[in-house]
Amino acid sequence: MRKAIYPGSFDPVTFGHQDIIERSAALFDELIVGVLNNSAKNSLFSVGERVSMLKELTKVIPNVTVDSFDGLLVDYMKESGATIIVRGLRAVTDFEYELQMAQTNHVEYPKAETIFLTTNMKYSYLSSSVVREFAAFGGDISKFVPSQFIDRIYAKYDIKK
Ligand code: PNS
């Protein structure tokens, strides 16, 4: 039984995340989308809002569950039984940080293996921070995020479209 976790901030979820979720759900028996509950980070959406958006997005994929976690990823993995970490790699600039995280997690929890999926080229420029930046100035975010979330994102900036 291959249980994987795709951890992240998902603030907000983008088409790039959705693509990684769909592709990794096809590779593993179970996939947990793990939303980091990071109180130190000033996030746009609360962890509850992020979890519920991800649940809406993944409700049609039977082997995907969505959960939040506090603290260390490896501790949550021990608790949940996940041994594989999925991360998306957009460009070489992601690599240094991702390599360090993968190696550290493996040292701390040797059962944890990180698998990198290369981001679909059409989303290689995309990140949650790009979405936040465009939305904050009323820019078009329809190519960045699933349509059902657009109004919720603008609403965070008091923008009505
Ligand atoms: O979407 P992000 O912000 O790039 O995701 C980063 C995330 C959540 C995967 C990473 O920050 C994380 O795992 N945080 C939990 C705390 C932890 O385990 N830190 C040690 C990493 S070496």
Side-chain angles (χ1 to χ4, degrees):
M1 168 81 127
R2 298 246 175 250
K3 195 169 188 177
I5 178 162
Y6 177 34
S9 304
F10 306 103
D11 188 35
V13 64
T14 67
F15 282 133
H17 296 129
Q18 184 180 23
D19 176 60
I20 298 286
I21 292 170
E22 288 170 356
R23 286 162 57 205
S24 40
L27 290 174
F28 305 108
D29 300 306
E30 271 184 51
L31 179 73
I32 304 169
V33 180
V35 181
L36 178 67
N37 186 7
N38 185 354
S39 47
K41 214 169 159 183
N42 219 346
S43 52
L44 183 63
F45 286 94
S46 71
V47 70
E49 289 170 323
R50 286 178 273 154
V51 166
S52 87
M53 288 194 281
L54 282 157
K55 281 187 175 166
E56 269 178 68
L57 195 67
T58 58
K59 61 176 183 243
V60 290
I61 317 176
N63 63 334
V64 173
T65 54
V66 182
D67 197 6
S68 61
F69 70 99
D70 295 294
L72 290 175
L73 175 60
V74 288
D75 289 339
Y76 179 72
M77 292 177 76
K78 289 173 195 168
E79 234 174 73
S80 63
T83 54
I84 299 154
I85 302 166
V86 176
R87 293 285 289 171
L89 273 186
R90 285 168 302 193
V92 77
T93 43
D94 282 342
F95 185 71
E96 218 168 306
Y97 169 63
E98 293 296 337
L99 178 69
Q100 185 186 30
M101 238 183 2
Q103 291 175 330
T104 311
N105 285 328
H106 186 71
V107 167
E108 289 288 325
Y109 184 39
K111 280 188 187 165
E113 295 290 357
T114 300
I115 305 282
F116 295 110
L117 294 187
T118 52
T119 299
N120 189 317
M121 275 187 295
K122 60 183 182 192
Y123 304 129
S124 60
Y125 62 91
L126 186 52
S127 66
S128 296
S129 53
V130 160
V131 175
R132 293 195 301 269
E133 183 81 3
F134 265 74
F137 294 105
D140 179 8
I141 55 171
S142 61
K143 291 194 175 67
F144 304 161
V145 299
S147 54
Q148 66 267 42
F149 305 136
I150 291 178
D151 288 348
R152 272 176 261 184
I153 296 168
Y154 286 133
K156 291 286 178 186
Y157 299 101
D158 289 327
I159 293 173
K160 282 198 185 73
K161 285 266 177 182

